[in-house]
Amino acid sequence: MKRKIALAAASLLALAVAVVAFSQPAQAATGIRVSNGKLVEANGTALKLRGINHPHAWYATQTSSFANIKAAGANSVRVVLSGGRWTTNTASDVANVISLCKTNKLICVLENHDTTGFGEQSGAVSLDTAVNYWISIQSALTGQENYVILNIGNEPIGNNAVTPNWTDATKSAIQRLRSAGFQHTIMVDAPNWGQDWSFTMRDNAPSVLAADTTGNTIFSVHMYGVFDTAAEVTAYVDSFTSRNLALCVCEFGDNHSDGNPDEDTIMAKTQSAGIGNMGWSWSGNGGGVEYLDMVTSFNPAQRSTWGNRYITGSNGLSTTSTQATIYNTGGDTQAPTTPGTPSASNVTSSSLSLSWSASTDNVGVTGYDVVRVSGSTETVLASPSTNSASLTGLTAATQYTLAVYAKDVAGNRSSRSSTVSVTTQTGGGTGGCTATYTITNQWPGGFGANVTVTNGATASTSWAVTWTFANGQTITQIWSAVDTASGASHTARNMSYNGNLGPNASTSFGFNGTWNNSVNAVPALTCTRS
């Protein structure tokens, strides 16, 4: 968040990234880490950040804010620090910040604000300079991997900056930190003042993650005026989660000078996707954005409209925040018993039901994780509170090897159950949906298209759209669908997140392609569903 600089208005570009699951490098077991595209604690328990940004660099005496933020229901706090653009936060000061976080049982996301708007705003520093700061205070950070996430630099590149290249600068910063011995999970902010309207972070996230030898990098987008519709919020989040890329919406508000963010969808979508969100900010805003203060003058008894919305509103802290298990007391280290072999039933082309014997625990079982096992890789498909689950959005004619873990209140996890292998039925159906093809953009040698799928009068769990190009067109990138090509013929099938459609509901997918610069005819489409 820029304290006194309004973000230039920018329209969200059409989503242009192939939605492909990314295979991450082997992960170190030290502290907080990334596993299968989600943030987890050292014991493997999911860590869903629900927190508030606090401007410590500018209000270093407001240390009571840590307790007040915890009392509001947060499980984490994102702390503004400076390495010299403002008053430097020294190693001893940062050590005290971490102590305040731990005392108040908060996960500490430490961010260097000096990089804000680099390449566009006077006084901003590079990510390389930010790394120098982290190395200079490394003594305060070493050994705190269970409690601290290191956010290299806030909003590191502005809107119009051409250099440096965000991708290369971010890769280099990650590699320098790893070479210096940092084992913390690293958080990287998007360019464009954090809003990534150019989709630079979205499109280059896999290569940035690959630069981290531990695989423990999480991406952070800031959602303000660029994300003013539900479609924009949903598409952006889905583009990361569908590729197993860890994402946090680590800044957002209910209003901004560059537009009106859709905070309702941001909060609902991050909750349903199981990813973090952190509202900006506790107090102390200036330059015309004082409405982003959650409390007035750091007084927790004087909550603003935004503070009430984020803390006690729908999908707010009071109902979605769970304290990190590292802070659980009572000494319970006994894991629940292993469930028996799961049993599958009601298998269709896109869904199945799974049940298993209930686990027991010395304190109490709180839930289960249903995982798909592929060699040494596990992907969580559902996390029910009871010993059964309905799995939807599956791919037709595909084998799924499934297993279950049980969890208790202290975050202990059972051993994995025996596995069961299930093959979904062959896809198909007899229509019941329609598809509309629109060319959204065209240039010499290339074009973009969007396809809207509209369901029939009854609910469905999967869809497929087929067509044949007549003029030599090819697809180079596709999003929100999986394409199977055979010559000029294509079949686009739903992703896990957009296959379930209610009666008469619609969804869409899009792609970029090539054409012969002569004829780019719209093909006839066939839509089937099940």
Side-chain angles (χ1 to χ4, degrees), residues 245-283:
L245 296 167
L247 180 69
C248 174
V249 182
C250 278
E251 273 193 36
F252 73 105
D254 66 341
N255 193 14
H256 202 257
S257 54
D258 69 330
N260 185 13
D262 186 350
E263 74 276 8
D264 290 340
T265 300
I266 293 170
M267 295 169 72
K269 182 60 180 178
T270 53
Q271 177 65 14
S272 65
I275 67 172
N277 73 57
M278 307 185 81
W280 182 278
S281 66
W282 185 241
S283 197

PDB file of all heavy atoms in Angstrom, residues 245-283:
ATOM      1  N   LEU A 245       0.283 -23.195  -7.100  1.00  0.00           N
ATOM      2  CA  LEU A 245       1.174 -22.095  -6.755  1.00  0.00           C
ATOM      3  C   LEU A 245       0.591 -21.383  -5.542  1.00  0.00           C
ATOM      4  O   LEU A 245      -0.568 -20.964  -5.560  1.00  0.00           O
ATOM      5  CB  LEU A 245       1.313 -21.116  -7.922  1.00  0.00           C
ATOM      6  CG  LEU A 245       1.968 -21.674  -9.185  1.00  0.00           C
ATOM      7  CD1 LEU A 245       1.757 -20.727 -10.361  1.00  0.00           C
ATOM      8  CD2 LEU A 245       3.469 -21.900  -8.952  1.00  0.00           C
ATOM      9  N   ALA A 246       1.367 -21.268  -4.479  1.00  0.00           N
ATOM     10  CA  ALA A 246       0.885 -20.671  -3.237  1.00  0.00           C
ATOM     11  C   ALA A 246       0.655 -19.175  -3.430  1.00  0.00           C
ATOM     12  O   ALA A 246       1.504 -18.469  -3.970  1.00  0.00           O
ATOM     13  CB  ALA A 246       1.881 -20.907  -2.110  1.00  0.00           C
ATOM     14  N   LEU A 247      -0.495 -18.690  -2.956  1.00  0.00           N
ATOM     15  CA  LEU A 247      -0.874 -17.290  -3.143  1.00  0.00           C
ATOM     16  C   LEU A 247      -1.485 -16.745  -1.862  1.00  0.00           C
ATOM     17  O   LEU A 247      -2.186 -17.448  -1.140  1.00  0.00           O
ATOM     18  CB  LEU A 247      -1.897 -17.167  -4.278  1.00  0.00           C
ATOM     19  CG  LEU A 247      -2.402 -15.750  -4.610  1.00  0.00           C
ATOM     20  CD1 LEU A 247      -1.291 -14.920  -5.237  1.00  0.00           C
ATOM     21  CD2 LEU A 247      -3.616 -15.802  -5.519  1.00  0.00           C
ATOM     22  N   CYS A 248      -1.206 -15.465  -1.594  1.00  0.00           N
ATOM     23  CA  CYS A 248      -1.857 -14.734  -0.517  1.00  0.00           C
ATOM     24  C   CYS A 248      -2.305 -13.381  -1.061  1.00  0.00           C
ATOM     25  O   CYS A 248      -1.560 -12.729  -1.800  1.00  0.00           O
ATOM     26  CB  CYS A 248      -0.895 -14.523   0.653  1.00  0.00           C
ATOM     27  SG  CYS A 248      -1.550 -13.480   1.992  1.00  0.00           S
ATOM     28  N   VAL A 249      -3.520 -12.975  -0.737  1.00  0.00           N
ATOM     29  CA  VAL A 249      -3.945 -11.595  -0.995  1.00  0.00           C
ATOM     30  C   VAL A 249      -3.556 -10.829   0.263  1.00  0.00           C
ATOM     31  O   VAL A 249      -4.345 -10.680   1.193  1.00  0.00           O
ATOM     32  CB  VAL A 249      -5.449 -11.499  -1.280  1.00  0.00           C
ATOM     33  CG1 VAL A 249      -5.843 -10.060  -1.586  1.00  0.00           C
ATOM     34  CG2 VAL A 249      -5.829 -12.410  -2.450  1.00  0.00           C
ATOM     35  N   CYS A 250      -2.322 -10.347   0.294  1.00  0.00           N
ATOM     36  CA  CYS A 250      -1.749  -9.846   1.546  1.00  0.00           C
ATOM     37  C   CYS A 250      -1.922  -8.351   1.745  1.00  0.00           C
ATOM     38  O   CYS A 250      -1.393  -7.804   2.713  1.00  0.00           O
ATOM     39  CB  CYS A 250      -0.288 -10.260   1.661  1.00  0.00           C
ATOM     40  SG  CYS A 250      -0.130 -11.958   2.286  1.00  0.00           S
ATOM     41  N   GLU A 251      -2.641  -7.696   0.847  1.00  0.00           N
ATOM     42  CA  GLU A 251      -3.145  -6.353   1.066  1.00  0.00           C
ATOM     43  C   GLU A 251      -4.433  -6.198   0.272  1.00  0.00           C
ATOM     44  O   GLU A 251      -4.514  -6.617  -0.883  1.00  0.00           O
ATOM     45  CB  GLU A 251      -2.176  -5.271   0.573  1.00  0.00           C
ATOM     46  CG  GLU A 251      -1.121  -4.836   1.556  1.00  0.00           C
ATOM     47  CD  GLU A 251      -0.415  -3.563   1.102  1.00  0.00           C
ATOM     48  OE1 GLU A 251      -1.063  -2.678   0.499  1.00  0.00           O
ATOM     49  OE2 GLU A 251       0.790  -3.457   1.354  1.00  0.00           O
ATOM     50  N   PHE A 252      -5.436  -5.608   0.887  1.00  0.00           N
ATOM     51  CA  PHE A 252      -6.642  -5.189   0.182  1.00  0.00           C
ATOM     52  C   PHE A 252      -7.462  -4.330   1.130  1.00  0.00           C
ATOM     53  O   PHE A 252      -7.191  -4.252   2.338  1.00  0.00           O
ATOM     54  CB  PHE A 252      -7.467  -6.382  -0.320  1.00  0.00           C
ATOM     55  CG  PHE A 252      -8.203  -7.152   0.749  1.00  0.00           C
ATOM     56  CD1 PHE A 252      -9.573  -7.016   0.917  1.00  0.00           C
ATOM     57  CD2 PHE A 252      -7.525  -8.035   1.582  1.00  0.00           C
ATOM     58  CE1 PHE A 252     -10.255  -7.735   1.886  1.00  0.00           C
ATOM     59  CE2 PHE A 252      -8.192  -8.757   2.558  1.00  0.00           C
ATOM     60  CZ  PHE A 252      -9.565  -8.604   2.720  1.00  0.00           C
ATOM     61  N   GLY A 253      -8.437  -3.632   0.591  1.00  0.00           N
ATOM     62  CA  GLY A 253      -9.311  -2.791   1.398  1.00  0.00           C
ATOM     63  C   GLY A 253     -10.713  -2.809   0.842  1.00  0.00           C
ATOM     64  O   GLY A 253     -11.023  -3.545  -0.110  1.00  0.00           O
ATOM     65  N   ASP A 254     -11.578  -1.984   1.403  1.00  0.00           N
ATOM     66  CA  ASP A 254     -12.952  -1.908   0.906  1.00  0.00           C
ATOM     67  C   ASP A 254     -13.169  -0.679   0.029  1.00  0.00           C
ATOM     68  O   ASP A 254     -14.283  -0.464  -0.466  1.00  0.00           O
ATOM     69  CB  ASP A 254     -13.945  -1.899   2.065  1.00  0.00           C
ATOM     70  CG  ASP A 254     -13.849  -0.646   2.928  1.00  0.00           C
ATOM     71  OD1 ASP A 254     -12.816   0.057   2.880  1.00  0.00           O
ATOM     72  OD2 ASP A 254     -14.805  -0.377   3.671  1.00  0.00           O
ATOM     73  N   ASN A 255     -12.119   0.102  -0.179  1.00  0.00           N
ATOM     74  CA  ASN A 255     -12.204   1.285  -1.026  1.00  0.00           C
ATOM     75  C   ASN A 255     -10.785   1.694  -1.374  1.00  0.00           C
ATOM     76  O   ASN A 255      -9.830   1.298  -0.700  1.00  0.00           O
ATOM     77  CB  ASN A 255     -12.930   2.424  -0.300  1.00  0.00           C
ATOM     78  CG  ASN A 255     -13.330   3.551  -1.241  1.00  0.00           C
ATOM     79  OD1 ASN A 255     -13.305   3.393  -2.470  1.00  0.00           O
ATOM     80  ND2 ASN A 255     -13.703   4.687  -0.694  1.00  0.00           N
ATOM     81  N   HIS A 256     -10.631   2.466  -2.442  1.00  0.00           N
ATOM     82  CA  HIS A 256      -9.306   2.999  -2.755  1.00  0.00           C
ATOM     83  C   HIS A 256      -9.434   4.095  -3.785  1.00  0.00           C
ATOM     84  O   HIS A 256     -10.432   4.197  -4.506  1.00  0.00           O
ATOM     85  CB  HIS A 256      -8.353   1.910  -3.257  1.00  0.00           C
ATOM     86  CG  HIS A 256      -6.911   2.275  -3.091  1.00  0.00           C
ATOM     87  ND1 HIS A 256      -6.128   2.707  -4.127  1.00  0.00           N
ATOM     88  CD2 HIS A 256      -6.129   2.320  -1.988  1.00  0.00           C
ATOM     89  CE1 HIS A 256      -4.912   2.993  -3.661  1.00  0.00           C
ATOM     90  NE2 HIS A 256      -4.902   2.766  -2.368  1.00  0.00           N
ATOM     91  N   SER A 257      -8.389   4.909  -3.868  1.00  0.00           N
ATOM     92  CA  SER A 257      -8.402   6.040  -4.793  1.00  0.00           C
ATOM     93  C   SER A 257      -8.426   5.608  -6.250  1.00  0.00           C
ATOM     94  O   SER A 257      -8.821   6.383  -7.119  1.00  0.00           O
ATOM     95  CB  SER A 257      -7.169   6.923  -4.546  1.00  0.00           C
ATOM     96  OG  SER A 257      -5.985   6.156  -4.613  1.00  0.00           O
ATOM     97  N   ASP A 258      -8.013   4.375  -6.540  1.00  0.00           N
ATOM     98  CA  ASP A 258      -8.001   3.920  -7.938  1.00  0.00           C
ATOM     99  C   ASP A 258      -9.210   3.067  -8.275  1.00  0.00           C
ATOM    100  O   ASP A 258      -9.276   2.468  -9.351  1.00  0.00           O
ATOM    101  CB  ASP A 258      -6.711   3.129  -8.245  1.00  0.00           C
ATOM    102  CG  ASP A 258      -6.659   1.794  -7.523  1.00  0.00           C
ATOM    103  OD1 ASP A 258      -7.240   1.679  -6.423  1.00  0.00           O
ATOM    104  OD2 ASP A 258      -6.041   0.862  -8.036  1.00  0.00           O
ATOM    105  N   GLY A 259     -10.190   2.985  -7.384  1.00  0.00           N
ATOM    106  CA  GLY A 259     -11.387   2.211  -7.675  1.00  0.00           C
ATOM    107  C   GLY A 259     -11.923   1.554  -6.419  1.00  0.00           C
ATOM    108  O   GLY A 259     -11.363   1.698  -5.322  1.00  0.00           O
ATOM    109  N   ASN A 260     -12.988   0.806  -6.583  1.00  0.00           N
ATOM    110  CA  ASN A 260     -13.667   0.178  -5.460  1.00  0.00           C
ATOM    111  C   ASN A 260     -13.446  -1.325  -5.487  1.00  0.00           C
ATOM    112  O   ASN A 260     -14.123  -2.049  -6.213  1.00  0.00           O
ATOM    113  CB  ASN A 260     -15.166   0.495  -5.510  1.00  0.00           C
ATOM    114  CG  ASN A 260     -15.909  -0.041  -4.299  1.00  0.00           C
ATOM    115  OD1 ASN A 260     -15.304  -0.445  -3.319  1.00  0.00           O
ATOM    116  ND2 ASN A 260     -17.227  -0.047  -4.384  1.00  0.00           N
ATOM    117  N   PRO A 261     -12.471  -1.822  -4.712  1.00  0.00           N
ATOM    118  CA  PRO A 261     -12.217  -3.266  -4.735  1.00  0.00           C
ATOM    119  C   PRO A 261     -13.426  -4.062  -4.261  1.00  0.00           C
ATOM    120  O   PRO A 261     -14.205  -3.595  -3.418  1.00  0.00           O
ATOM    121  CB  PRO A 261     -11.027  -3.432  -3.776  1.00  0.00           C
ATOM    122  CG  PRO A 261     -10.849  -2.140  -3.072  1.00  0.00           C
ATOM    123  CD  PRO A 261     -11.624  -1.091  -3.771  1.00  0.00           C
ATOM    124  N   ASP A 262     -13.566  -5.270  -4.801  1.00  0.00           N
ATOM    125  CA  ASP A 262     -14.673  -6.148  -4.420  1.00  0.00           C
ATOM    126  C   ASP A 262     -14.242  -6.965  -3.205  1.00  0.00           C
ATOM    127  O   ASP A 262     -13.866  -8.134  -3.313  1.00  0.00           O
ATOM    128  CB  ASP A 262     -15.049  -7.055  -5.589  1.00  0.00           C
ATOM    129  CG  ASP A 262     -16.287  -7.895  -5.301  1.00  0.00           C
ATOM    130  OD1 ASP A 262     -16.746  -7.918  -4.141  1.00  0.00           O
ATOM    131  OD2 ASP A 262     -16.779  -8.544  -6.229  1.00  0.00           O
ATOM    132  N   GLU A 263     -14.294  -6.322  -2.016  1.00  0.00           N
ATOM    133  CA  GLU A 263     -13.805  -6.984  -0.811  1.00  0.00           C
ATOM    134  C   GLU A 263     -14.635  -8.206  -0.444  1.00  0.00           C
ATOM    135  O   GLU A 263     -14.105  -9.175   0.124  1.00  0.00           O
ATOM    136  CB  GLU A 263     -13.741  -6.005   0.367  1.00  0.00           C
ATOM    137  CG  GLU A 263     -15.070  -5.615   0.974  1.00  0.00           C
ATOM    138  CD  GLU A 263     -15.744  -4.469   0.226  1.00  0.00           C
ATOM    139  OE1 GLU A 263     -15.240  -4.084  -0.848  1.00  0.00           O
ATOM    140  OE2 GLU A 263     -16.769  -3.971   0.719  1.00  0.00           O
ATOM    141  N   ASP A 264     -15.926  -8.207  -0.779  1.00  0.00           N
ATOM    142  CA  ASP A 264     -16.763  -9.360  -0.450  1.00  0.00           C
ATOM    143  C   ASP A 264     -16.268 -10.611  -1.178  1.00  0.00           C
ATOM    144  O   ASP A 264     -16.157 -11.693  -0.589  1.00  0.00           O
ATOM    145  CB  ASP A 264     -18.214  -9.091  -0.817  1.00  0.00           C
ATOM    146  CG  ASP A 264     -18.853  -8.043   0.090  1.00  0.00           C
ATOM    147  OD1 ASP A 264     -18.333  -7.812   1.195  1.00  0.00           O
ATOM    148  OD2 ASP A 264     -19.871  -7.454  -0.311  1.00  0.00           O
ATOM    149  N   THR A 265     -15.983 -10.461  -2.466  1.00  0.00           N
ATOM    150  CA  THR A 265     -15.483 -11.615  -3.224  1.00  0.00           C
ATOM    151  C   THR A 265     -14.074 -11.988  -2.796  1.00  0.00           C
ATOM    152  O   THR A 265     -13.734 -13.178  -2.718  1.00  0.00           O
ATOM    153  CB  THR A 265     -15.517 -11.316  -4.733  1.00  0.00           C
ATOM    154  OG1 THR A 265     -16.857 -11.048  -5.130  1.00  0.00           O
ATOM    155  CG2 THR A 265     -14.987 -12.502  -5.534  1.00  0.00           C
ATOM    156  N   ILE A 266     -13.239 -10.992  -2.515  1.00  0.00           N
ATOM    157  CA  ILE A 266     -11.872 -11.287  -2.064  1.00  0.00           C
ATOM    158  C   ILE A 266     -11.917 -12.157  -0.813  1.00  0.00           C
ATOM    159  O   ILE A 266     -11.219 -13.178  -0.713  1.00  0.00           O
ATOM    160  CB  ILE A 266     -11.095  -9.986  -1.797  1.00  0.00           C
ATOM    161  CG1 ILE A 266     -10.852  -9.217  -3.100  1.00  0.00           C
ATOM    162  CG2 ILE A 266      -9.755 -10.292  -1.116  1.00  0.00           C
ATOM    163  CD1 ILE A 266     -10.317  -7.807  -2.908  1.00  0.00           C
ATOM    164  N   MET A 267     -12.751 -11.786   0.141  1.00  0.00           N
ATOM    165  CA  MET A 267     -12.814 -12.533   1.396  1.00  0.00           C
ATOM    166  C   MET A 267     -13.464 -13.905   1.214  1.00  0.00           C
ATOM    167  O   MET A 267     -13.020 -14.901   1.787  1.00  0.00           O
ATOM    168  CB  MET A 267     -13.536 -11.695   2.445  1.00  0.00           C
ATOM    169  CG  MET A 267     -12.769 -10.428   2.816  1.00  0.00           C
ATOM    170  SD  MET A 267     -13.693  -9.246   3.822  1.00  0.00           S
ATOM    171  CE  MET A 267     -13.737 -10.094   5.400  1.00  0.00           C
ATOM    172  N   ALA A 268     -14.505 -13.962   0.390  1.00  0.00           N
ATOM    173  CA  ALA A 268     -15.171 -15.244   0.153  1.00  0.00           C
ATOM    174  C   ALA A 268     -14.297 -16.190  -0.662  1.00  0.00           C
ATOM    175  O   ALA A 268     -14.215 -17.388  -0.368  1.00  0.00           O
ATOM    176  CB  ALA A 268     -16.504 -15.008  -0.560  1.00  0.00           C
ATOM    177  N   LYS A 269     -13.643 -15.662  -1.682  1.00  0.00           N
ATOM    178  CA  LYS A 269     -12.843 -16.514  -2.572  1.00  0.00           C
ATOM    179  C   LYS A 269     -11.605 -17.038  -1.866  1.00  0.00           C
ATOM    180  O   LYS A 269     -11.256 -18.215  -2.023  1.00  0.00           O
ATOM    181  CB  LYS A 269     -12.450 -15.734  -3.829  1.00  0.00           C
ATOM    182  CG  LYS A 269     -11.643 -16.561  -4.833  1.00  0.00           C
ATOM    183  CD  LYS A 269     -12.419 -17.774  -5.319  1.00  0.00           C
ATOM    184  CE  LYS A 269     -11.608 -18.589  -6.318  1.00  0.00           C
ATOM    185  NZ  LYS A 269     -12.352 -19.796  -6.763  1.00  0.00           N
ATOM    186  N   THR A 270     -10.913 -16.189  -1.101  1.00  0.00           N
ATOM    187  CA  THR A 270      -9.736 -16.688  -0.389  1.00  0.00           C
ATOM    188  C   THR A 270     -10.130 -17.745   0.639  1.00  0.00           C
ATOM    189  O   THR A 270      -9.387 -18.707   0.861  1.00  0.00           O
ATOM    190  CB  THR A 270      -8.979 -15.543   0.290  1.00  0.00           C
ATOM    191  OG1 THR A 270      -9.883 -14.780   1.117  1.00  0.00           O
ATOM    192  CG2 THR A 270      -8.336 -14.622  -0.725  1.00  0.00           C
ATOM    193  N   GLN A 271     -11.309 -17.589   1.228  1.00  0.00           N
ATOM    194  CA  GLN A 271     -11.773 -18.598   2.182  1.00  0.00           C
ATOM    195  C   GLN A 271     -12.075 -19.918   1.484  1.00  0.00           C
ATOM    196  O   GLN A 271     -11.633 -20.987   1.929  1.00  0.00           O
ATOM    197  CB  GLN A 271     -13.019 -18.095   2.923  1.00  0.00           C
ATOM    198  CG  GLN A 271     -13.633 -19.082   3.892  1.00  0.00           C
ATOM    199  CD  GLN A 271     -12.729 -19.423   5.053  1.00  0.00           C
ATOM    200  OE1 GLN A 271     -11.731 -18.755   5.305  1.00  0.00           O
ATOM    201  NE2 GLN A 271     -13.059 -20.484   5.772  1.00  0.00           N
ATOM    202  N   SER A 272     -12.816 -19.881   0.384  1.00  0.00           N
ATOM    203  CA  SER A 272     -13.161 -21.128  -0.307  1.00  0.00           C
ATOM    204  C   SER A 272     -11.937 -21.788  -0.935  1.00  0.00           C
ATOM    205  O   SER A 272     -11.880 -23.013  -1.048  1.00  0.00           O
ATOM    206  CB  SER A 272     -14.221 -20.862  -1.378  1.00  0.00           C
ATOM    207  OG  SER A 272     -13.713 -20.022  -2.408  1.00  0.00           O
ATOM    208  N   ALA A 273     -10.953 -20.978  -1.336  1.00  0.00           N
ATOM    209  CA  ALA A 273      -9.739 -21.526  -1.950  1.00  0.00           C
ATOM    210  C   ALA A 273      -8.724 -21.983  -0.910  1.00  0.00           C
ATOM    211  O   ALA A 273      -7.724 -22.618  -1.256  1.00  0.00           O
ATOM    212  CB  ALA A 273      -9.104 -20.478  -2.869  1.00  0.00           C
ATOM    213  N   GLY A 274      -8.957 -21.652   0.357  1.00  0.00           N
ATOM    214  CA  GLY A 274      -8.041 -22.073   1.413  1.00  0.00           C
ATOM    215  C   GLY A 274      -6.720 -21.336   1.394  1.00  0.00           C
ATOM    216  O   GLY A 274      -5.680 -21.904   1.750  1.00  0.00           O
ATOM    217  N   ILE A 275      -6.730 -20.060   0.971  1.00  0.00           N
ATOM    218  CA  ILE A 275      -5.500 -19.274   0.919  1.00  0.00           C
ATOM    219  C   ILE A 275      -5.620 -18.067   1.843  1.00  0.00           C
ATOM    220  O   ILE A 275      -6.690 -17.746   2.346  1.00  0.00           O
ATOM    221  CB  ILE A 275      -5.167 -18.816  -0.513  1.00  0.00           C
ATOM    222  CG1 ILE A 275      -6.217 -17.818  -1.016  1.00  0.00           C
ATOM    223  CG2 ILE A 275      -5.066 -20.028  -1.445  1.00  0.00           C
ATOM    224  CD1 ILE A 275      -5.852 -17.191  -2.346  1.00  0.00           C
ATOM    225  N   GLY A 276      -4.496 -17.370   2.057  1.00  0.00           N
ATOM    226  CA  GLY A 276      -4.446 -16.285   3.007  1.00  0.00           C
ATOM    227  C   GLY A 276      -5.007 -14.972   2.487  1.00  0.00           C
ATOM    228  O   GLY A 276      -5.011 -14.705   1.288  1.00  0.00           O
ATOM    229  N   ASN A 277      -5.483 -14.152   3.431  1.00  0.00           N
ATOM    230  CA  ASN A 277      -5.766 -12.759   3.131  1.00  0.00           C
ATOM    231  C   ASN A 277      -5.392 -11.908   4.336  1.00  0.00           C
ATOM    232  O   ASN A 277      -5.515 -12.351   5.484  1.00  0.00           O
ATOM    233  CB  ASN A 277      -7.220 -12.522   2.694  1.00  0.00           C
ATOM    234  CG  ASN A 277      -8.232 -12.618   3.814  1.00  0.00           C
ATOM    235  OD1 ASN A 277      -8.148 -11.907   4.810  1.00  0.00           O
ATOM    236  ND2 ASN A 277      -9.222 -13.505   3.643  1.00  0.00           N
ATOM    237  N   MET A 278      -4.916 -10.694   4.091  1.00  0.00           N
ATOM    238  CA  MET A 278      -4.493  -9.786   5.153  1.00  0.00           C
ATOM    239  C   MET A 278      -4.933  -8.379   4.770  1.00  0.00           C
ATOM    240  O   MET A 278      -4.548  -7.850   3.725  1.00  0.00           O
ATOM    241  CB  MET A 278      -2.977  -9.847   5.357  1.00  0.00           C
ATOM    242  CG  MET A 278      -2.438 -11.254   5.578  1.00  0.00           C
ATOM    243  SD  MET A 278      -0.674 -11.338   5.973  1.00  0.00           S
ATOM    244  CE  MET A 278      -0.730 -10.965   7.728  1.00  0.00           C
ATOM    245  N   GLY A 279      -5.789  -7.783   5.593  1.00  0.00           N
ATOM    246  CA  GLY A 279      -6.333  -6.475   5.284  1.00  0.00           C
ATOM    247  C   GLY A 279      -5.357  -5.347   5.580  1.00  0.00           C
ATOM    248  O   GLY A 279      -4.575  -5.412   6.527  1.00  0.00           O
ATOM    249  N   TRP A 280      -5.407  -4.305   4.766  1.00  0.00           N
ATOM    250  CA  TRP A 280      -4.639  -3.083   5.017  1.00  0.00           C
ATOM    251  C   TRP A 280      -5.596  -2.043   5.575  1.00  0.00           C
ATOM    252  O   TRP A 280      -6.598  -1.737   4.940  1.00  0.00           O
ATOM    253  CB  TRP A 280      -4.006  -2.566   3.720  1.00  0.00           C
ATOM    254  CG  TRP A 280      -3.174  -1.338   3.983  1.00  0.00           C
ATOM    255  CD1 TRP A 280      -3.603  -0.055   4.099  1.00  0.00           C
ATOM    256  CD2 TRP A 280      -1.759  -1.311   4.187  1.00  0.00           C
ATOM    257  NE1 TRP A 280      -2.570   0.784   4.381  1.00  0.00           N
ATOM    258  CE2 TRP A 280      -1.410   0.040   4.434  1.00  0.00           C
ATOM    259  CE3 TRP A 280      -0.746  -2.276   4.204  1.00  0.00           C
ATOM    260  CZ2 TRP A 280      -0.096   0.445   4.669  1.00  0.00           C
ATOM    261  CZ3 TRP A 280       0.553  -1.880   4.439  1.00  0.00           C
ATOM    262  CH2 TRP A 280       0.880  -0.545   4.664  1.00  0.00           C
ATOM    263  N   SER A 281      -5.282  -1.436   6.703  1.00  0.00           N
ATOM    264  CA  SER A 281      -4.282  -1.750   7.683  1.00  0.00           C
ATOM    265  C   SER A 281      -4.832  -1.324   9.033  1.00  0.00           C
ATOM    266  O   SER A 281      -5.891  -0.708   9.118  1.00  0.00           O
ATOM    267  CB  SER A 281      -2.975  -1.037   7.388  1.00  0.00           C
ATOM    268  OG  SER A 281      -3.138   0.374   7.525  1.00  0.00           O
ATOM    269  N   TRP A 282      -4.114  -1.621  10.112  1.00  0.00           N
ATOM    270  CA  TRP A 282      -4.636  -1.402  11.458  1.00  0.00           C
ATOM    271  C   TRP A 282      -4.966   0.067  11.713  1.00  0.00           C
ATOM    272  O   TRP A 282      -6.072   0.419  12.095  1.00  0.00           O
ATOM    273  CB  TRP A 282      -3.638  -1.922  12.482  1.00  0.00           C
ATOM    274  CG  TRP A 282      -4.112  -1.866  13.905  1.00  0.00           C
ATOM    275  CD1 TRP A 282      -3.554  -1.177  14.944  1.00  0.00           C
ATOM    276  CD2 TRP A 282      -5.240  -2.551  14.471  1.00  0.00           C
ATOM    277  NE1 TRP A 282      -4.253  -1.382  16.103  1.00  0.00           N
ATOM    278  CE2 TRP A 282      -5.305  -2.223  15.847  1.00  0.00           C
ATOM    279  CE3 TRP A 282      -6.216  -3.405  13.942  1.00  0.00           C
ATOM    280  CZ2 TRP A 282      -6.292  -2.722  16.693  1.00  0.00           C
ATOM    281  CZ3 TRP A 282      -7.206  -3.898  14.788  1.00  0.00           C
ATOM    282  CH2 TRP A 282      -7.244  -3.562  16.138  1.00  0.00           C
ATOM    283  N   SER A 283      -3.997   0.968  11.472  1.00  0.00           N
ATOM    284  CA  SER A 283      -4.237   2.392  11.693  1.00  0.00           C
ATOM    285  C   SER A 283      -3.055   3.180  11.129  1.00  0.00           C
ATOM    286  O   SER A 283      -2.056   2.603  10.701  1.00  0.00           O
ATOM    287  CB  SER A 283      -4.410   2.686  13.195  1.00  0.00           C
ATOM    288  OG  SER A 283      -5.012   3.944  13.421  1.00  0.00           O
TER     289      SER A 283
END
